Each structure stands twice: as structure tokens, then as C-alpha cells.
Amino acid sequence: MNVGTRIDRREFLVGAAQGAAVAVCWPGSAAAQRTPTRLVLLGTGGGPRPRKTSSAAAQVLLINGVAYLIDCGDGVARQLAFANVPLPTLRHIFLTHHHSDHNADYGNVIWLAWTSGLRTRVDAWGPPPLERMTKLFFEMNTYDIKTRIADEGRVPLAPLVHVHEVTRGGVVMQDENVKVTAALVRHAPVVPAFGYRFDASDRSIVISGDTSPSDSLIALAQRADILVHEALYAPAVDRLVAGVANATTLKESILSHHTTAEDAGRVAQAAGVKTLVLSHLVPADDPTVTDQMWMDAARTHFNGTVVVGRDLMEI
Ligand SMILES: [Zn+2]
């Protein structure tokens, strides 16, 4: 599959603009970096079905003690606990798109962080209808929130959360630690869906989100240190689909808006990244698909370092 031929003009233009923007290092001053940027894979499995062996794909960046969480599938708050990330340090949440394996615990992680002592601002970034989802979540859980404010003396929760709906590619936010840039990726029928790039002073890290091979993602990821890319092991999809009831077009769906491990390697090579991390693995729990098989597939077209992502791996 030639990734260069599967892109519409709008996405290409957005991607090209981002390619120019991300060439500039941010913040640029090594003095601003007090501790090395850490990337922890909180979950590495693709799909919303709860599994024994891996959580839904999510990751956290820790920069100078501040937590930047990317995606919030089932159990993400507990994965943060396993990763020894204090929940009150949660500062920014980025959602790539609104599939349940990426957003099921979006409200829960904020709510549970608050019960763990969070009393400072949280900014949430992601596609519409994030604003409405946030409002309805707080409404749904008014009883517990009000009770804890009255009974435990907690600060009101809703005013802490500031929602920013992301509708196009480009710079999303920047603070003293990092600049974040988004690119529209290809995950129809879920539109918009985004990949995000994080430029800290010591490292650049790109999270693909869910996407078929995307030129805008290649532009976003140019020369990044790390690209965390979703990956599908195509020969195993038939077995996977056979085990799932109530989803008659699942195979076509999986194949049409995801990326094979081989193509993830192509994307990484075209972007010139140093390290490709395979995550959002589909299938997530097929023991016949070994790390070596994932690795060999990704290396077909990529000369850099390949890492097969596992839950709680730090990179
Ligand atoms: Zn998805």
C-alpha cells in the first residue's frame, strides 16, 4: 500500500503546514528542562473489549512533574496508579478521537483524580462533542460530587475543568514545558480524529491516535524522537473477528481505518523518526502473534529502532 496515494488535498495541506511548523524546536532552552521527559505507555491494546493482558491504548507524558495524558480508555486511572503517577498531578488531557477505547474513562479519570486530591486546573483537549460530554458527565455524577464537597470539604470539581474542542490541525497549546501540535488523521467514520505531537526541550514524541496510513501524520512526525503508532497484524484479523459476536462488519471496519505493522514502519521511515513504538495492538491478546512477528513486520520498511509496546513500559 502506498501511503502517499491515500490522502485528500485538505489533509495534505494541513499536514504540509504542520511539517513546516514542527521543524522549530520548542521550548529550545535546555535550562527550562528540570527533569528528563518521561513517556509511559499506560495501555497498549486496541479495541474496547476488556482484556486480561492489556489495557486500552493510552499514554502519559511526565514533564517537570506535570502529567499530560493522551487518551482515556477503560481503567486509565488505575493504570496511572500502577505507573506511580500521582493523580493530582493530572494537568492536561488530550483525546485523539471518540471511540470508547480512547474515551470511556475520560470523565472518570478527572473525577477519580479529584477524589485523590486534585484541586487544580485541568485542561481537556479533543474533538467535539467534548464540551457536551464533560457537562453531561458532571451532571450524571452530581450526587457524588455534591456529597463529597459537603461531606469531605472538597473544592467544587466542575470549575477546575476547562474544555477546548479541537476541530483542525495545527498548534493546540503550549506552556512552559511543551508545545502540542495536532494533525487530522484518517479514521472515518470517526471525524475528526487527531494525532498529537509533543515537543519538549529534550524530546519530541508523536502519538498517532487511530488512523490508516496518513500523510498528515508523516508531516506531523517529521524527525521526531519517538512515534507511537497504532498497529494491526493483518494475518491474525480473521481469528480475532471469529471470536467477536454482534459485529458483522468488524473485519472490514478494522482493515479500512487502521494501519498494519508493515505500514506503520513505512510511515516511520517516511517521517524519519528515530524510534517507532507499536501500540494499540490488534489483535491485543493473540499469543500466536509474537513480539518478533510484530517487530519483523515493522522492520520491513523501517531502519530505526522498533519497540513493541507493553502496558506500563516506560520509553
Ligand atoms: Zn478508533
Side-chain angles (χ1 to χ4, degrees):
M1 190 185 313
N2 180 348
V3 298
T5 59
R6 298 188 51 185
I7 195 81
D8 67 39
R9 180 171 166 75
R10 184 168 166 230
E11 275 190 287
F12 175 77
L13 290 172
V14 170
Q18 283 161 354
V22 296
V24 180
C25 186
W26 179 267
S29 163
Q33 194 73 32
R34 296 192 297 274
T35 56
T37 296
R38 298 171 57 203
L39 166 65
V40 180
L41 306 180
L42 297 170
T44 55
R49 179 176 51 86
R51 294 169 297 268
K52 291 180 182 176
T53 50
S54 63
S55 291
Q59 38 279 309
V60 65
L61 281 176
L62 301 162
I63 315 176
N64 294 327
V66 178
Y68 301 77
L69 176 64
I70 304 103
D71 282 338
C72 300
D74 174 42
V76 73
R78 189 148 190 260
Q79 290 302 102
L80 285 165
F82 276 125
N84 296 313
V85 177
L87 281 166
T89 63
L90 181 61
R91 177 65 186 85
H92 289 276
I93 298 173
F94 299 86
L95 293 181
T96 58
H97 67 294
H98 292 303
H99 262 146
S100 52
D101 47 335
H102 298 258
N103 71 8
D105 275 1
Y106 157 67
N108 284 340
V109 75
I110 300 172
W111 188 25
L112 300 175
W114 178 73
T115 64
S116 306
L118 175 84
R119 48 187 301 124
T120 48
R121 176 175 174 138
V122 174
D123 285 79
W125 312 80
L130 191 60
E131 185 92 53
R132 181 170 157 76
M133 290 166 66
T134 309
K135 182 172 169 288
L136 291 176
F137 180 84
F138 288 138
E139 197 178 316
M140 179 176 77
N141 294 296
T142 299
Y143 185 91
D144 174 88
I145 293 168
K146 273 192 166 173
T147 301
R148 289 186 193 280
I149 290 169
D151 187 39
E152 300 172 3
R154 297 184 185 275
V155 300
L157 173 55
L160 300 180
V161 182
H162 297 255
V163 177
H164 313 266
E165 292 192 340
V166 181
T167 56
R168 65 180 85 170
V171 175
V172 171
M173 61 80 73
Q174 55 190 56
D175 62 12
E176 66 279 15
N177 292 322
V178 68
K179 172 179 154 185
V180 184
T181 312
L184 275 168
V185 293
R186 301 168 60 85
H187 196 47
V190 179
V191 180
F194 293 101
Y196 292 108
R197 175 177 178 127
F198 298 80
D199 285 290
S201 62
D202 61 336
R203 298 174 97 183
S204 49
I205 295 166
V206 177
I207 310 293
S208 73
D210 283 8
T211 182
S212 54
S214 164
D215 278 2
S216 58
L217 185 72
I218 291 172
L220 183 77
Q222 281 300 309
R223 307 174 68 78
D225 294 306
I226 295 173
L227 169 61
V228 180
H229 203 296
E230 68 131 288
L232 166 73
Y233 197 78
V237 171
D238 279 327
R239 255 198 318 279
L240 168 73
V241 171
V244 180
N246 192 28
T248 50
T249 58
L250 183 60
K251 181 180 177 182
E252 292 75 10
S253 163
I254 289 173
L255 294 176
S256 68
H257 53 239
H258 290 286
T259 300
T260 63
E262 258 192 71
D263 278 342
R266 278 195 176 91
V267 169
Q269 186 70 23
V273 304
K274 291 182 187 147
T275 299
L276 168 64
V277 180
L278 301 179
S279 188
H280 194 281
L281 303 175
V282 175
D285 51 3
D286 183 338
T288 68
V289 184
T290 63
D291 281 13
Q292 193 61 48
M293 289 158 77
W294 284 109
M295 210 111 60
D296 289 347
R299 281 180 178 148
T300 311
H301 303 284
F302 178 53
N303 300 325
T305 304
V306 177
V307 174
V308 181
R310 294 296 168 207
D311 287 20
L312 303 177
M313 184 183 268
E314 180 168 343
I315 297 160

